[in-house]
Every structure is written in C-alpha cells, then in structure tokens.
C-alpha cells in the first residue's frame, strides 16, 4: 500500500495545472445543489415578507370577513410556494443528485488517468447510465441510512443513562432546583442559580456532542465499505447496482480503518475552515483535493481483496473486452 503522504502528494501532482477545470466541475456540482434545495426559498423571501405584512395589516385594520379572505388567499399562496420548493428539492435528490454525483466521480477518474476535467462529463450519466446511476447512488444511501439507525439508538440510550444517573442523585437535583427557583425569583436577576442552570445546559450539550462524535467514528468505518461503489459502476458499467455495492464491500475488506485514517488526515484542512472567510475559501481546495486522493486510493485497492482479482475496463474500451474473450476461447498468444 502506498503511504498516505505519498498518495496525497500524487493527488496534488495530478491536480497541478488542472485545478481550475476541476474546481469548475465541483462549483457546478455545488451550485446545482444549492439552487435546487435553497435557491427557490431565497427567491421567495421578498414575496413571503409581503404576505406576512398583508396578514399583519389585515389583523390591525380590517373587518373579520376581510381578515378571513386575506388569510385564506395568503395561506394558499404560502402553501403553493412551499409545495413548489419541496417538489424542486425532491426532484433534485431523486433525478439530479445521483447523476451529477456519478458524473463528478467520472471527472475524478479521468483526472487520475491524466485527462483534463470537462464540465460535460458531469452530465454524461444522463445519456449513458441514467437508471443505474439512480439505483447505485440510492442503494448506497439506503445502506448508509440503515446503518445510522443503531448509532442513533445508541446515542439516545447513552444520553438517557447519563441523565438518569444525574437525576437519581436527589441531593444534587435538590440543589439545582433550589438554584433554579432562586434564579427565577423577582429581583435576583442572573444570580448564582441562573449561572448554574446555564452551566448545566452547556454541560449536557457538550456531553451530547462528545457522545455523537465518538459514535461517528465506528459509523464512518462501517459505511466506508460502500465508498467505492460509484467508481466501480463508472469503470465497469456491465455490473448491476447490487454488484457494485458487493464489489465495493469486497475490495474494502480489511482496509476500512486505513481508509478512515486517510480521510481523517484531512481534518486539519477542515478545521482551517472554521476561520471566517479565509477558512471557508480553503474548502474550495480541500474538498477536490480530498476527493482526488480518495480516487487514487480506489485505484490502489480496486484489484485486491479476498476473492479472485477483478479486471476493470474503462467505459467504451471494447477492444480489451474482445481480446480477453478471444484469449479465453482460442488460447493466449494468438495474433489478432
């Protein structure tokens, strides 16, 4: 296995001179998602303010009949706007997101093969593998969602146990309740009791966050077995969606911890994004950089695993398919 540092250096070398084209592809991917899921609501904000103003004016000055009439019209308009926004968002997740996700994966594959990223590649799945893109992406998502359920249950149980242990201590709870009562009494303002309440809430929020952060680690390791399914589908379009998922699970066997550490090595880059403006701009480089590195990792493991080695063909590489078929029928070494 190539060390992580060398893998990341390889990714930086592959992006050199091509990052601008790669960024445009990612910008298109991000832009479509924002427009479809948030843009409609942003456009409607001025109209929504007008509706609320009309409703407030009706309450202040109109007769009950006029109020009912205006409220009825406004509620209908609000409902229409909301339904349109929800419909657009649903259409994005069902018909657009799977396609452009597969397209971005192909852009990354092409880059690692030495090609310059092309915007048209992002939309190629609409012409070449529409149904399979939807099937593979959503099958992968369904498995990831199903796996998160036991972790949510574990998260809730852990928080419940902590709260139960805390509440079981009568002396401590009595002191807290007295402090709350004291804090809420007129004239005390923000006294010691209110400070204690705020501190308690902060401690509960912190504990909740820490438990969630701890549980994210095993969840990320488990679902990483599906991480290569889209790459596999792009490189071997003859496989079904379930076969792509199964093949991803096979080649990731014994490598999920290593893959987790690879992605974790980008944590300092993402922590940099906590810095306003400059940090946010760093994501423009960090996200493509991490994805190119992950693609290189896929190339490194795609013919390994516990079963017989699998050979992947580039889309459209019919010559290799014919030659391999001829080898199996008439034997290797025949000149053709």
């Amino acid at each position: 296995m190539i060390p992580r540092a060398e893998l990341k250096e390889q990714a930086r070398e592959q992006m050199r001179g091509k990052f601008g084209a790669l960024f445009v592809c990612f910008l298109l991917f991000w832009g479509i998602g924002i427009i479809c899921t948030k843009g409609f609501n942003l456009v409607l904000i001025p109209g929504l303010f007008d509706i609320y103003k009309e409703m407030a004016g009706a309450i202040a000055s109109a007769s009950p009949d006029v109020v009912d009439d205006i409220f009825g019209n406004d509620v209908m308009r609000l409902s229409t706007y909301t339904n349109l926004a929800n419909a657009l968002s649903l259409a994005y997740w069902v018909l657009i997101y799977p396609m452009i996700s597969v397209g971005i994966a192909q852009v990354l594959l092409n880059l690692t093969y030495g090609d310059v990223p092309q915007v048209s590649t992002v939309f190629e799945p609409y012409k070449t593998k529409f149904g399979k893109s939807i099937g593979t992406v959503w099958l992968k998502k369904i498995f990831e969602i199903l796996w998160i359920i036991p972790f949510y249950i574990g998260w809730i149980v852990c928080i419940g146990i902590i709260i139960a242990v805390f509440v079981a201590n009568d002396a401590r709870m009595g002191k807290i309740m007295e402090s709350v009562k004291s804090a809420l009494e007129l004239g005390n303002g923000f006294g010691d009791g209110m400070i204690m309440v705020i501190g308690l809430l902060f401690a509960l929020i912190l504990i909740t966050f820490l438990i969630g952060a701890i549980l994210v680690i095993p969840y990320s390791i488990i679902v990483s077995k599906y991480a290569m399914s889209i790459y596999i589908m792009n490189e071997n379009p003859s496989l079904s969606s379930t076969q792509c998922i199964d093949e991803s699970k096979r080649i990731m066997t014994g490598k999920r911890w290593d893959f987790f550490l690879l992605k974790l090595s980008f944590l300092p880059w993402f922590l940099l994004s906590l810095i306003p403006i400059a940090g946010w701009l760093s994501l423009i480089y960090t996200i493509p950089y991490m994805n190119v590195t992950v693609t290189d990792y896929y190339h490194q493991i795609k013919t390994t695993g516990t079963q017989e080695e699998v050979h992947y063909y580039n889309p459209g590489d019919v010559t290799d398919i014919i030659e391999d078929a001829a080898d199996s029928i008439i034997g290797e070494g025949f000149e053709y």
Side-chain angles (χ1 to χ4, degrees), residues 304-332:
T304 63
T306 57
Q307 299 177 4
E308 183 180 353
E309 189 171 272
V310 177
H311 177 69
Y312 293 97
Y313 301 98
N314 292 330
D317 195 355
V318 181
T319 303
D320 279 352
I321 298 175
I322 295 174
E323 290 180 356
D324 282 359
D327 285 341
S328 64
I329 296 171
I330 62 178
E332 296 184 7

Side-chain angles (χ1 to χ4, degrees), residues 167-179:
V167 171
N169 191 319
D170 294 336
R172 185 181 302 163
M173 283 303 298
K175 182 178 179 181
I176 290 174
M177 294 307 296
E178 286 295 326
S179 299

Side-chain angles (χ1 to χ4, degrees), residues 22 36 55 110 112 135 151 154 166 179 189 218 243 265 294 302 332:
L22 180 63
C36 291
M55 294 170 73
N110 291 347
T112 56
F151 287 96
F166 197 85
S179 299
Q243 287 174 325
S265 67
V294 168
K302 66 182 181 180
E332 296 184 7

Side-chain angles (χ1 to χ4, degrees), residues 59-227:
I59 293 172
S61 60
S63 64
D65 293 338
V66 176
V67 170
D68 291 340
D69 184 57
I70 292 176
F71 263 70
N73 293 332
D74 288 343
V75 168
M76 287 296 294
R77 279 196 289 165
L78 279 171
S79 177
T80 301
Y81 291 159
T82 302
N83 290 337
L84 286 173
N86 291 338
L88 182 60
S89 181
L90 179 63
Y92 167 76
W93 289 112
V94 174
L95 300 175
I96 300 175
Y97 172 76
M99 303 299 137
I100 57 179
S101 296
V102 172
I104 281 291
Q106 188 61 56
V107 167
L108 294 164
L109 287 167
N110 291 347
L111 176 69
T112 56
Y113 286 130
D115 298 335
V116 177
Q118 301 289 331
V119 169
S120 60
T121 307
V122 179
F123 301 103
E124 277 185 7
Y126 280 103
K127 297 184 295 183
T128 58
K129 37 184 174 283
F130 181 84
K132 189 170 291 184
S133 295
I134 294 177
T136 304
V137 170
W138 272 106
L139 189 60
K140 175 176 177 286
K141 285 291 181 186
I142 288 170
F143 282 126
E144 291 172 348
I145 292 170
L146 290 175
W147 270 111
I148 206 171
I149 293 174
F151 287 96
Y152 265 125
I153 294 173
W155 182 60
I156 293 171
V157 169
C158 289
I159 294 172
I161 291 173
I162 292 173
I163 293 175
V165 170
F166 197 85
V167 171
N169 191 319
D170 294 336
R172 185 181 302 163
M173 283 303 298
K175 182 178 179 181
I176 290 174
M177 294 307 296
E178 286 295 326
S179 299
V180 171
K181 182 179 178 181
S182 174
L184 296 177
E185 286 178 357
L186 186 63
N188 277 353
F190 284 91
D192 294 339
M194 185 59 72
I195 293 174
M196 179 176 290
V197 171
I198 294 172
L200 176 62
L201 292 174
F202 178 78
L204 288 174
I205 292 171
L206 181 61
I207 291 171
T208 301
F209 172 79
L210 290 175
I211 293 173
I214 293 170
L215 291 177
V216 160
I217 296 174
Y219 171 76
S220 299
I221 294 172
I222 289 174
V223 299
S224 65
K225 61 185 174 182
Y226 310 116

